[in-house]
Amino acid sequence: MNKAECQAALSAVVKEKVLTDVPMRKHTTWQIGGPADIMVFPSSEEELAAVFKIVRERDLPWLVVGNGSNLLVGDKGVRGVVIKMGAAFSASVWKGDQVEACAGMLLSALALEAADRSLAGLEFARGIPGSIGGAVRMNAGAYGSNIGSYVQSVHAVGYDGEQLDVAGEDISFAYRDSSLFQLDAVITRVSLRLYEGDKEQILAQIKDYSQRRSFAQPLEFPSCGSVFRNPAFDHAGRLIEMAGLRGFNYGGAGVSKKHGNFIINLGGARACDVRELIEEIQRRVFEYSGVQLEPEVKFVGEF
């Protein structure tokens, strides 16, 4: 890949400046990751389609990121093009109890907008660090609720550049999963339907969840949220703690003393530290319980 030529080609189809050698640690909630060869910030669905056309024509590897809350990016960085769904994809349009939210909008911000309109359903989402697109694709949830329950439709741009709509009833949602993973497209907009509630009660519920999170989760440290999926009829955090790993450190990464399913960046953590710690947790939990923990986090780039 000729980086300068690719940068020039992408600059011709997007308004925002195309960057090179961008530290991915600035674009992940773990604050970890080497440089991306090229980073592009499409400002519309048409620009996103044009970016896909270029990466297809040049056979370039690519990666789409939102808030980077579920990514572990390798220390050697990401080859090819990183497509950042940023500020241009952060708007929302409300009509009664329905909202169309762009994929780059933070789920926590949307939860507050709903509360301000006395609309209930997203109280659980206030403390989730992800963006709308990623949250819907993986059916983010907490406290017995999940976002898939409110999805009416999804709009996306296909890898072939074509735009498409998927009705909510045609999407299968499961625990930390959905049929949207089989969609060869990038989610750009999501329509949700909430329900009317009492504003004070909604805000009180959000406050309660926030206090519970502050008590139980290491919010003072960079993390990706929960690292492992909960196995059937159990909790990953409990198994990790029972295996004696609470507070266990590897390099600059450590298992939180507050919550076993959180790996935190203690300062200067590298991706290899986190990956080694994940593997050690899996090994010890399996030795203790016979359960093979499955990571929620996605490993990308070169390690």
mmCIF file of all heavy atoms in Angstrom, residues 21-64:
data_model
loop_
_atom_site.group_PDB
_atom_site.id
_atom_site.type_symbol
_atom_site.label_atom_id
_atom_site.label_comp_id
_atom_site.label_asym_id
_atom_site.label_seq_id
_atom_site.Cartn_x
_atom_site.Cartn_y
_atom_site.Cartn_z
ATOM 1 N N ASP A 21 -0.854 7.511 10.358
ATOM 2 C CA ASP A 21 -0.105 7.140 11.563
ATOM 3 C C ASP A 21 -0.778 7.667 12.839
ATOM 4 O O ASP A 21 -0.166 8.330 13.671
ATOM 5 C CB ASP A 21 1.339 7.640 11.474
ATOM 6 C CG ASP A 21 2.057 7.100 10.256
ATOM 7 O OD1 ASP A 21 1.939 5.896 9.984
ATOM 8 O OD2 ASP A 21 2.728 7.889 9.549
ATOM 9 N N VAL A 22 -2.067 7.336 12.976
ATOM 10 C CA VAL A 22 -2.870 7.828 14.095
ATOM 11 C C VAL A 22 -2.790 6.847 15.266
ATOM 12 O O VAL A 22 -3.134 5.664 15.102
ATOM 13 C CB VAL A 22 -4.338 8.000 13.672
ATOM 14 C CG1 VAL A 22 -5.170 8.510 14.835
ATOM 15 C CG2 VAL A 22 -4.437 8.942 12.476
ATOM 16 N N PRO A 23 -2.357 7.290 16.458
ATOM 17 C CA PRO A 23 -2.305 6.380 17.613
ATOM 18 C C PRO A 23 -3.708 5.907 17.991
ATOM 19 O O PRO A 23 -4.560 6.711 18.351
ATOM 20 C CB PRO A 23 -1.696 7.243 18.721
ATOM 21 C CG PRO A 23 -1.050 8.396 18.024
ATOM 22 C CD PRO A 23 -1.866 8.636 16.789
ATOM 23 N N MET A 24 -3.930 4.614 17.918
ATOM 24 C CA MET A 24 -5.258 4.087 18.231
ATOM 25 C C MET A 24 -5.586 4.164 19.720
ATOM 26 O O MET A 24 -6.752 4.054 20.105
ATOM 27 C CB MET A 24 -5.383 2.646 17.734
ATOM 28 C CG MET A 24 -5.521 2.519 16.231
ATOM 29 S SD MET A 24 -7.011 3.309 15.590
ATOM 30 C CE MET A 24 -8.291 2.248 16.275
ATOM 31 N N ARG A 25 -4.586 4.374 20.542
ATOM 32 C CA ARG A 25 -4.863 4.525 21.974
ATOM 33 C C ARG A 25 -5.769 5.728 22.239
ATOM 34 O O ARG A 25 -6.440 5.804 23.268
ATOM 35 C CB ARG A 25 -3.567 4.660 22.764
ATOM 36 C CG ARG A 25 -2.786 5.944 22.514
ATOM 37 C CD ARG A 25 -1.539 6.029 23.394
ATOM 38 N NE ARG A 25 -0.831 7.283 23.188
ATOM 39 C CZ ARG A 25 0.051 7.496 22.229
ATOM 40 N NH1 ARG A 25 0.362 6.521 21.385
ATOM 41 N NH2 ARG A 25 0.655 8.674 22.109
ATOM 42 N N LYS A 26 -5.794 6.681 21.292
ATOM 43 C CA LYS A 26 -6.649 7.854 21.438
ATOM 44 C C LYS A 26 -8.087 7.575 20.992
ATOM 45 O O LYS A 26 -8.958 8.431 21.133
ATOM 46 C CB LYS A 26 -6.079 9.020 20.638
ATOM 47 C CG LYS A 26 -4.721 9.505 21.120
ATOM 48 C CD LYS A 26 -4.244 10.693 20.308
ATOM 49 C CE LYS A 26 -2.903 11.206 20.806
ATOM 50 N NZ LYS A 26 -2.430 12.372 19.998
ATOM 51 N N HIS A 27 -8.309 6.379 20.473
ATOM 52 C CA HIS A 27 -9.631 6.053 19.923
ATOM 53 C C HIS A 27 -10.201 4.771 20.516
ATOM 54 O O HIS A 27 -11.086 4.158 19.927
ATOM 55 C CB HIS A 27 -9.541 5.941 18.397
ATOM 56 C CG HIS A 27 -9.142 7.229 17.739
ATOM 57 N ND1 HIS A 27 -10.045 8.217 17.443
ATOM 58 C CD2 HIS A 27 -7.915 7.690 17.362
ATOM 59 C CE1 HIS A 27 -9.406 9.240 16.884
ATOM 60 N NE2 HIS A 27 -8.123 8.952 16.830
ATOM 61 N N THR A 28 -9.678 4.350 21.675
ATOM 62 C CA THR A 28 -10.218 3.196 22.387
ATOM 63 C C THR A 28 -10.373 3.546 23.858
ATOM 64 O O THR A 28 -9.597 4.336 24.404
ATOM 65 C CB THR A 28 -9.314 1.953 22.269
ATOM 66 O OG1 THR A 28 -8.076 2.203 22.964
ATOM 67 C CG2 THR A 28 -9.021 1.627 20.819
ATOM 68 N N THR A 29 -11.364 2.974 24.506
ATOM 69 C CA THR A 29 -11.595 3.287 25.915
ATOM 70 C C THR A 29 -10.529 2.665 26.817
ATOM 71 O O THR A 29 -10.367 3.100 27.957
ATOM 72 C CB THR A 29 -12.991 2.820 26.358
ATOM 73 O OG1 THR A 29 -13.115 1.407 26.135
ATOM 74 C CG2 THR A 29 -14.077 3.549 25.578
ATOM 75 N N TRP A 30 -9.820 1.653 26.330
ATOM 76 C CA TRP A 30 -8.700 1.084 27.078
ATOM 77 C C TRP A 30 -7.480 1.989 27.017
ATOM 78 O O TRP A 30 -6.526 1.821 27.759
ATOM 79 C CB TRP A 30 -8.323 -0.291 26.515
ATOM 80 C CG TRP A 30 -8.539 -1.425 27.459
ATOM 81 C CD1 TRP A 30 -8.398 -1.415 28.819
ATOM 82 C CD2 TRP A 30 -8.927 -2.765 27.103
ATOM 83 N NE1 TRP A 30 -8.673 -2.664 29.338
ATOM 84 C CE2 TRP A 30 -8.995 -3.510 28.307
ATOM 85 C CE3 TRP A 30 -9.203 -3.403 25.907
ATOM 86 C CZ2 TRP A 30 -9.339 -4.850 28.334
ATOM 87 C CZ3 TRP A 30 -9.545 -4.731 25.933
ATOM 88 C CH2 TRP A 30 -9.610 -5.455 27.140
ATOM 89 N N GLN A 31 -7.486 2.919 26.057
ATOM 90 C CA GLN A 31 -6.347 3.816 25.807
ATOM 91 C C GLN A 31 -5.089 3.013 25.490
ATOM 92 O O GLN A 31 -3.998 3.277 25.984
ATOM 93 C CB GLN A 31 -6.138 4.755 26.992
ATOM 94 C CG GLN A 31 -7.324 5.679 27.244
ATOM 95 C CD GLN A 31 -7.163 6.590 28.433
ATOM 96 O OE1 GLN A 31 -6.055 6.772 28.950
ATOM 97 N NE2 GLN A 31 -8.253 7.154 28.905
ATOM 98 N N ILE A 32 -5.297 2.021 24.624
ATOM 99 C CA ILE A 32 -4.230 1.118 24.201
ATOM 100 C C ILE A 32 -4.307 0.965 22.690
ATOM 101 O O ILE A 32 -5.393 0.936 22.118
ATOM 102 C CB ILE A 32 -4.388 -0.268 24.865
ATOM 103 C CG1 ILE A 32 -4.146 -0.176 26.380
ATOM 104 C CG2 ILE A 32 -3.454 -1.304 24.242
ATOM 105 C CD1 ILE A 32 -4.445 -1.470 27.123
ATOM 106 N N GLY A 33 -3.154 0.843 22.046
ATOM 107 C CA GLY A 33 -3.151 0.536 20.623
ATOM 108 C C GLY A 33 -2.115 1.312 19.841
ATOM 109 O O GLY A 33 -1.909 2.505 20.071
ATOM 110 N N GLY A 34 -1.454 0.629 18.897
ATOM 111 C CA GLY A 34 -0.470 1.256 18.035
ATOM 112 C C GLY A 34 -1.122 2.079 16.936
ATOM 113 O O GLY A 34 -2.336 2.270 16.909
ATOM 114 N N PRO A 35 -0.306 2.561 15.987
ATOM 115 C CA PRO A 35 -0.815 3.494 14.977
ATOM 116 C C PRO A 35 -1.635 2.832 13.870
ATOM 117 O O PRO A 35 -1.326 1.738 13.416
ATOM 118 C CB PRO A 35 0.469 4.105 14.405
ATOM 119 C CG PRO A 35 1.498 3.022 14.585
ATOM 120 C CD PRO A 35 1.150 2.346 15.878
ATOM 121 N N ALA A 36 -2.666 3.556 13.450
ATOM 122 C CA ALA A 36 -3.414 3.174 12.258
ATOM 123 C C ALA A 36 -2.727 3.813 11.061
ATOM 124 O O ALA A 36 -2.379 4.992 11.105
ATOM 125 C CB ALA A 36 -4.854 3.668 12.352
ATOM 126 N N ASP A 37 -2.525 3.042 9.987
ATOM 127 C CA ASP A 37 -1.877 3.598 8.801
ATOM 128 C C ASP A 37 -2.599 4.848 8.323
ATOM 129 O O ASP A 37 -1.999 5.895 8.105
ATOM 130 C CB ASP A 37 -1.865 2.557 7.670
ATOM 131 C CG ASP A 37 -0.862 1.448 7.898
ATOM 132 O OD1 ASP A 37 0.054 1.634 8.728
ATOM 133 O OD2 ASP A 37 -1.002 0.394 7.264
ATOM 134 N N ILE A 38 -3.927 4.715 8.166
ATOM 135 C CA ILE A 38 -4.751 5.822 7.678
ATOM 136 C C ILE A 38 -6.048 5.839 8.468
ATOM 137 O O ILE A 38 -6.629 4.786 8.744
ATOM 138 C CB ILE A 38 -5.071 5.655 6.175
ATOM 139 C CG1 ILE A 38 -3.781 5.705 5.343
ATOM 140 C CG2 ILE A 38 -6.043 6.737 5.698
ATOM 141 C CD1 ILE A 38 -3.999 5.415 3.868
ATOM 142 N N MET A 39 -6.509 7.035 8.823
ATOM 143 C CA MET A 39 -7.805 7.176 9.473
ATOM 144 C C MET A 39 -8.628 8.202 8.703
ATOM 145 O O MET A 39 -8.164 9.303 8.425
ATOM 146 C CB MET A 39 -7.672 7.591 10.939
ATOM 147 C CG MET A 39 -9.013 7.659 11.663
ATOM 148 S SD MET A 39 -8.861 7.918 13.457
ATOM 149 C CE MET A 39 -8.352 6.279 14.004
ATOM 150 N N VAL A 40 -9.871 7.804 8.397
ATOM 151 C CA VAL A 40 -10.756 8.652 7.616
ATOM 152 C C VAL A 40 -12.046 8.863 8.387
ATOM 153 O O VAL A 40 -12.510 7.960 9.095
ATOM 154 C CB VAL A 40 -11.013 8.033 6.220
ATOM 155 C CG1 VAL A 40 -11.697 6.686 6.339
ATOM 156 C CG2 VAL A 40 -11.817 8.961 5.336
ATOM 157 N N PHE A 41 -12.619 10.062 8.282
ATOM 158 C CA PHE A 41 -13.798 10.441 9.041
ATOM 159 C C PHE A 41 -14.925 10.820 8.076
ATOM 160 O O PHE A 41 -15.116 12.007 7.777
ATOM 161 C CB PHE A 41 -13.486 11.632 9.947
ATOM 162 C CG PHE A 41 -12.321 11.421 10.875
ATOM 163 C CD1 PHE A 41 -11.022 11.648 10.443
ATOM 164 C CD2 PHE A 41 -12.527 10.988 12.175
ATOM 165 C CE1 PHE A 41 -9.941 11.468 11.303
ATOM 166 C CE2 PHE A 41 -11.454 10.801 13.042
ATOM 167 C CZ PHE A 41 -10.150 11.031 12.598
ATOM 168 N N PRO A 42 -15.669 9.855 7.563
ATOM 169 C CA PRO A 42 -16.767 10.188 6.648
ATOM 170 C C PRO A 42 -17.823 11.032 7.360
ATOM 171 O O PRO A 42 -18.121 10.805 8.537
ATOM 172 C CB PRO A 42 -17.319 8.823 6.239
ATOM 173 C CG PRO A 42 -16.886 7.890 7.315
ATOM 174 C CD PRO A 42 -15.589 8.398 7.817
ATOM 175 N N SER A 43 -18.384 12.001 6.645
ATOM 176 C CA SER A 43 -19.363 12.895 7.251
ATOM 177 C C SER A 43 -20.778 12.634 6.753
ATOM 178 O O SER A 43 -21.699 13.362 7.113
ATOM 179 C CB SER A 43 -18.990 14.359 6.975
ATOM 180 O OG SER A 43 -18.929 14.612 5.590
ATOM 181 N N SER A 44 -20.953 11.612 5.931
ATOM 182 C CA SER A 44 -22.286 11.260 5.440
ATOM 183 C C SER A 44 -22.265 9.815 4.966
ATOM 184 O O SER A 44 -21.193 9.210 4.788
ATOM 185 C CB SER A 44 -22.694 12.170 4.278
ATOM 186 O OG SER A 44 -21.876 11.925 3.146
ATOM 187 N N GLU A 45 -23.449 9.260 4.736
ATOM 188 C CA GLU A 45 -23.543 7.904 4.211
ATOM 189 C C GLU A 45 -22.969 7.824 2.801
ATOM 190 O O GLU A 45 -22.386 6.809 2.416
ATOM 191 C CB GLU A 45 -24.996 7.446 4.245
ATOM 192 C CG GLU A 45 -25.503 7.234 5.664
ATOM 193 C CD GLU A 45 -26.994 7.044 5.760
ATOM 194 O OE1 GLU A 45 -27.700 7.369 4.773
ATOM 195 O OE2 GLU A 45 -27.472 6.570 6.814
ATOM 196 N N GLU A 46 -23.108 8.906 2.049
ATOM 197 C CA GLU A 46 -22.552 8.936 0.689
ATOM 198 C C GLU A 46 -21.023 8.904 0.727
ATOM 199 O O GLU A 46 -20.392 8.201 -0.072
ATOM 200 C CB GLU A 46 -23.041 10.188 -0.048
ATOM 201 C CG GLU A 46 -24.526 10.184 -0.387
ATOM 202 C CD GLU A 46 -25.431 10.379 0.817
ATOM 203 O OE1 GLU A 46 -24.960 10.961 1.831
ATOM 204 O OE2 GLU A 46 -26.600 9.938 0.755
ATOM 205 N N GLU A 47 -20.447 9.638 1.674
ATOM 206 C CA GLU A 47 -18.989 9.597 1.807
ATOM 207 C C GLU A 47 -18.522 8.221 2.262
ATOM 208 O O GLU A 47 -17.488 7.723 1.792
ATOM 209 C CB GLU A 47 -18.524 10.669 2.799
ATOM 210 C CG GLU A 47 -18.563 12.073 2.240
ATOM 211 C CD GLU A 47 -17.874 13.086 3.134
ATOM 212 O OE1 GLU A 47 -17.268 12.682 4.155
ATOM 213 O OE2 GLU A 47 -17.925 14.275 2.808
ATOM 214 N N LEU A 48 -19.270 7.604 3.173
ATOM 215 C CA LEU A 48 -18.919 6.260 3.627
ATOM 216 C C LEU A 48 -18.928 5.284 2.457
ATOM 217 O O LEU A 48 -18.016 4.455 2.317
ATOM 218 C CB LEU A 48 -19.899 5.804 4.705
ATOM 219 C CG LEU A 48 -19.705 4.399 5.275
ATOM 220 C CD1 LEU A 48 -18.321 4.242 5.893
ATOM 221 C CD2 LEU A 48 -20.791 4.084 6.305
ATOM 222 N N ALA A 49 -19.942 5.375 1.605
ATOM 223 C CA ALA A 49 -20.018 4.507 0.426
ATOM 224 C C ALA A 49 -18.822 4.753 -0.500
ATOM 225 O O ALA A 49 -18.259 3.803 -1.063
ATOM 226 C CB ALA A 49 -21.321 4.756 -0.324
ATOM 227 N N ALA A 50 -18.422 6.015 -0.652
ATOM 228 C CA ALA A 50 -17.276 6.341 -1.507
ATOM 229 C C ALA A 50 -15.977 5.787 -0.927
ATOM 230 O O ALA A 50 -15.093 5.329 -1.669
ATOM 231 C CB ALA A 50 -17.174 7.857 -1.675
ATOM 232 N N VAL A 51 -15.867 5.807 0.392
ATOM 233 C CA VAL A 51 -14.680 5.228 1.049
ATOM 234 C C VAL A 51 -14.610 3.731 0.784
ATOM 235 O O VAL A 51 -13.547 3.188 0.460
ATOM 236 C CB VAL A 51 -14.699 5.526 2.561
ATOM 237 C CG1 VAL A 51 -13.638 4.693 3.292
ATOM 238 C CG2 VAL A 51 -14.476 7.006 2.823
ATOM 239 N N PHE A 52 -15.747 3.049 0.902
ATOM 240 C CA PHE A 52 -15.767 1.611 0.636
ATOM 241 C C PHE A 52 -15.378 1.316 -0.810
ATOM 242 O O PHE A 52 -14.705 0.317 -1.087
ATOM 243 C CB PHE A 52 -17.153 1.027 0.936
ATOM 244 C CG PHE A 52 -17.365 0.682 2.375
ATOM 245 C CD1 PHE A 52 -18.520 1.084 3.042
ATOM 246 C CD2 PHE A 52 -16.423 -0.046 3.086
ATOM 247 C CE1 PHE A 52 -18.720 0.757 4.374
ATOM 248 C CE2 PHE A 52 -16.608 -0.375 4.414
ATOM 249 C CZ PHE A 52 -17.773 0.032 5.059
ATOM 250 N N LYS A 53 -15.795 2.168 -1.735
ATOM 251 C CA LYS A 53 -15.445 1.972 -3.140
ATOM 252 C C LYS A 53 -13.927 2.009 -3.331
ATOM 253 O O LYS A 53 -13.351 1.169 -4.030
ATOM 254 C CB LYS A 53 -16.112 3.047 -3.998
ATOM 255 C CG LYS A 53 -15.894 2.894 -5.510
ATOM 256 C CD LYS A 53 -16.714 3.926 -6.265
ATOM 257 C CE LYS A 53 -16.621 3.700 -7.775
ATOM 258 N NZ LYS A 53 -15.268 3.963 -8.307
ATOM 259 N N ILE A 54 -13.289 2.948 -2.646
ATOM 260 C CA ILE A 54 -11.835 3.080 -2.774
ATOM 261 C C ILE A 54 -11.107 1.896 -2.145
ATOM 262 O O ILE A 54 -10.170 1.343 -2.740
ATOM 263 C CB ILE A 54 -11.366 4.413 -2.156
ATOM 264 C CG1 ILE A 54 -11.812 5.580 -3.045
ATOM 265 C CG2 ILE A 54 -9.846 4.435 -1.983
ATOM 266 C CD1 ILE A 54 -11.569 6.935 -2.445
ATOM 267 N N VAL A 55 -11.529 1.484 -0.952
ATOM 268 C CA VAL A 55 -10.828 0.375 -0.309
ATOM 269 C C VAL A 55 -11.044 -0.924 -1.084
ATOM 270 O O VAL A 55 -10.149 -1.794 -1.109
ATOM 271 C CB VAL A 55 -11.233 0.218 1.177
ATOM 272 C CG1 VAL A 55 -10.868 1.458 1.965
ATOM 273 C CG2 VAL A 55 -12.703 -0.113 1.337
ATOM 274 N N ARG A 56 -12.210 -1.068 -1.735
ATOM 275 C CA ARG A 56 -12.440 -2.259 -2.556
ATOM 276 C C ARG A 56 -11.554 -2.237 -3.805
ATOM 277 O O ARG A 56 -10.921 -3.238 -4.143
ATOM 278 C CB ARG A 56 -13.911 -2.338 -2.995
ATOM 279 C CG ARG A 56 -14.882 -2.735 -1.928
ATOM 280 C CD ARG A 56 -16.203 -3.231 -2.525
ATOM 281 N NE ARG A 56 -16.650 -2.451 -3.658
ATOM 282 C CZ ARG A 56 -17.352 -1.327 -3.589
ATOM 283 N NH1 ARG A 56 -17.656 -0.841 -2.409
ATOM 284 N NH2 ARG A 56 -17.746 -0.701 -4.681
ATOM 285 N N GLU A 57 -11.513 -1.099 -4.460
ATOM 286 C CA GLU A 57 -10.727 -0.988 -5.694
ATOM 287 C C GLU A 57 -9.253 -1.237 -5.435
ATOM 288 O O GLU A 57 -8.559 -1.819 -6.275
ATOM 289 C CB GLU A 57 -10.930 0.388 -6.313
ATOM 290 C CG GLU A 57 -12.308 0.615 -6.910
ATOM 291 C CD GLU A 57 -12.502 2.031 -7.413
ATOM 292 O OE1 GLU A 57 -11.674 2.919 -7.072
ATOM 293 O OE2 GLU A 57 -13.480 2.264 -8.138
ATOM 294 N N ARG A 58 -8.771 -0.813 -4.291
ATOM 295 C CA ARG A 58 -7.348 -0.947 -3.960
ATOM 296 C C ARG A 58 -7.065 -2.184 -3.104
ATOM 297 O O ARG A 58 -5.922 -2.406 -2.713
ATOM 298 C CB ARG A 58 -6.849 0.313 -3.250
ATOM 299 C CG ARG A 58 -6.888 1.556 -4.145
ATOM 300 C CD ARG A 58 -6.573 2.817 -3.362
ATOM 301 N NE ARG A 58 -6.555 3.979 -4.235
ATOM 302 C CZ ARG A 58 -5.450 4.499 -4.790
ATOM 303 N NH1 ARG A 58 -4.270 3.949 -4.530
ATOM 304 N NH2 ARG A 58 -5.504 5.552 -5.573
ATOM 305 N N ASP A 59 -8.109 -2.937 -2.792
ATOM 306 C CA ASP A 59 -7.984 -4.154 -1.990
ATOM 307 C C ASP A 59 -7.276 -3.863 -0.663
ATOM 308 O O ASP A 59 -6.354 -4.580 -0.258
ATOM 309 C CB ASP A 59 -7.226 -5.229 -2.776
ATOM 310 C CG ASP A 59 -7.409 -6.616 -2.163
ATOM 311 O OD1 ASP A 59 -8.445 -6.833 -1.492
ATOM 312 O OD2 ASP A 59 -6.516 -7.464 -2.346
ATOM 313 N N LEU A 60 -7.728 -2.802 0.011
ATOM 314 C CA LEU A 60 -7.118 -2.392 1.271
ATOM 315 C C LEU A 60 -7.839 -3.017 2.457
ATOM 316 O O LEU A 60 -9.074 -3.108 2.468
ATOM 317 C CB LEU A 60 -7.190 -0.866 1.420
ATOM 318 C CG LEU A 60 -6.461 -0.028 0.373
ATOM 319 C CD1 LEU A 60 -6.794 1.453 0.577
ATOM 320 C CD2 LEU A 60 -4.962 -0.249 0.472
ATOM 321 N N PRO A 61 -7.106 -3.436 3.464
ATOM 322 C CA PRO A 61 -7.776 -3.857 4.704
ATOM 323 C C PRO A 61 -8.398 -2.638 5.365
ATOM 324 O O PRO A 61 -7.896 -1.516 5.231
ATOM 325 C CB PRO A 61 -6.627 -4.431 5.549
ATOM 326 C CG PRO A 61 -5.393 -3.796 5.009
ATOM 327 C CD PRO A 61 -5.639 -3.547 3.552
ATOM 328 N N TRP A 62 -9.509 -2.844 6.083
ATOM 329 C CA TRP A 62 -10.171 -1.713 6.724
ATOM 330 C C TRP A 62 -10.843 -2.161 8.008
ATOM 331 O O TRP A 62 -11.094 -3.345 8.232
ATOM 332 C CB TRP A 62 -11.200 -1.080 5.778
ATOM 333 C CG TRP A 62 -12.216 -2.048 5.234
ATOM 334 C CD1 TRP A 62 -12.124 -2.779 4.084
ATOM 335 C CD2 TRP A 62 -13.451 -2.430 5.846
ATOM 336 N NE1 TRP A 62 -13.225 -3.576 3.933
ATOM 337 C CE2 TRP A 62 -14.068 -3.383 4.994
ATOM 338 C CE3 TRP A 62 -14.115 -2.045 7.011
ATOM 339 C CZ2 TRP A 62 -15.289 -3.963 5.293
ATOM 340 C CZ3 TRP A 62 -15.341 -2.623 7.306
ATOM 341 C CH2 TRP A 62 -15.914 -3.565 6.444
ATOM 342 N N LEU A 63 -11.120 -1.174 8.843
ATOM 343 C CA LEU A 63 -11.766 -1.421 10.135
ATOM 344 C C LEU A 63 -12.652 -0.229 10.455
ATOM 345 O O LEU A 63 -12.218 0.916 10.330
ATOM 346 C CB LEU A 63 -10.704 -1.578 11.233
ATOM 347 C CG LEU A 63 -11.201 -1.640 12.682
ATOM 348 C CD1 LEU A 63 -11.928 -2.952 12.948
ATOM 349 C CD2 LEU A 63 -10.032 -1.483 13.661
ATOM 350 N N VAL A 64 -13.883 -0.482 10.851
ATOM 351 C CA VAL A 64 -14.787 0.576 11.283
ATOM 352 C C VAL A 64 -14.792 0.632 12.808
ATOM 353 O O VAL A 64 -14.911 -0.400 13.477
ATOM 354 C CB VAL A 64 -16.220 0.331 10.766
ATOM 355 C CG1 VAL A 64 -17.182 1.374 11.328
ATOM 356 C CG2 VAL A 64 -16.245 0.360 9.245
#
